[in-house]
Amino acid sequence: MSDQTYSMDYPVSWEELHRNARTLSLRLLDKGPWKGLIVITRGGLVPAAILAREMDIRLIDTVCVTSYKSADDSATQSLQGELQILKRVEGDGEGMLLIDDLVDTGKTARCVREMLPKAHFATIYAKPAGVPLVDTFITEVSQDTWIRFPWDMEYTFSTPLAERQ
């Protein structure tokens, strides 16, 4: 497992994710035309749905990779472990957009880049260690930031700050 520690938390709302995915779509339209999307599951699925709609792309395939395991406390961040490739795609990615929600350490990105060297790799969020591995991204966050995506959160009561002391 990785010994990466996270000192900052970055919660992302559905509205922010949607806005950033549309911005990514706009940037990618100018770089096309594209044959289709190759989505890194599971994180890339929601952004890819938005991109597919905004860019009128109907051909979608997936690369299924897993690397994160739940930490001992499920309310905290997950830990990055060994990569497991569950499903590949054929070809070298020429003319395709490779989509993920985030590039973090670059471990998954390096692996998928080797599989699909000609694909254009795009993410919404990028951390410094992963930036050199993607072609297009929208928002850079620090390496020690844990991004909390809306599909990983639920609405719950929040104790007022004054009562927490």
Side-chain angles (χ1 to χ4, degrees), residues 29-65:
L29 277 170
D30 293 338
K31 299 176 186 293
W34 303 106
K35 294 178 185 176
L37 302 178
I38 299 172
V39 184
I40 300 174
T41 67
R42 291 179 313 212
L45 289 169
V46 173
I50 297 166
L51 268 66
R53 178 194 184 273
E54 296 300 335
M55 300 174 71
D56 194 28
I57 294 176
R58 306 281 177 166
L59 179 64
I60 302 169
D61 203 348
T62 58
V63 171
C64 304
V65 180

Side-chain angles (χ1 to χ4, degrees), residues 2-164:
S2 170
D3 59 359
Q4 170 72 48
T5 57
Y6 299 95
S7 60
M8 296 195 302
D9 210 35
Y10 185 75
V12 176
S13 69
W14 284 109
E15 291 81 8
E16 180 181 358
L17 181 84
H18 190 250
R19 182 176 47 253
N20 285 334
R22 291 189 77 217
T23 300
L24 182 59
S25 298
L26 192 58
R27 288 190 189 166
L28 293 170
L29 277 170
D30 293 338
K31 299 176 186 293
W34 303 106
K35 294 178 185 176
L37 302 178
I38 299 172
V39 184
I40 300 174
T41 67
R42 291 179 313 212
L45 289 169
V46 173
I50 297 166
L51 268 66
R53 178 194 184 273
E54 296 300 335
M55 300 174 71
D56 194 28
I57 294 176
R58 306 281 177 166
L59 179 64
I60 302 169
D61 203 348
T62 58
V63 171
C64 304
V65 180
T66 182
S67 65
Y68 284 94
K69 308 258 186 251
S70 294
D72 292 337
D73 176 3
S74 63
T76 64
Q77 304 91 353
S78 297
L79 302 172
Q80 192 169 32
E82 294 302 313
L83 285 180
Q84 290 183 330
I85 300 167
L86 306 173
K87 179 187 171 287
R88 297 175 182 267
V89 295
E90 291 185 26
D92 59 11
E94 186 169 3
M96 301 294 282
L97 282 171
L98 180 60
I99 305 297
D100 207 353
D101 55 352
L102 153 79
V103 61
D104 190 336
T105 63
K107 189 175 179 180
T108 301
R110 260 186 227 83
C111 175
V112 177
R113 271 277 198 211
E114 288 176 17
M115 281 190 262
L116 302 162
K118 293 187 178 179
H120 184 97
F121 197 172
T123 63
I124 294 178
Y125 300 97
K127 294 185 180 182
V131 166
L133 298 164
V134 294
D135 300 305
T136 306
F137 67 92
I138 299 302
T139 302
E140 186 170 351
V141 297
S142 65
Q143 201 68 43
D144 64 343
T145 297
W146 183 259
I147 299 174
R148 294 198 185 269
F149 288 100
W151 52 84
D152 290 329
M153 297 184 291
E154 57 185 26
Y155 292 106
T156 62
F157 175 77
S158 176
T159 304
L161 293 174
E163 293 178 24
R164 295 182 193 179

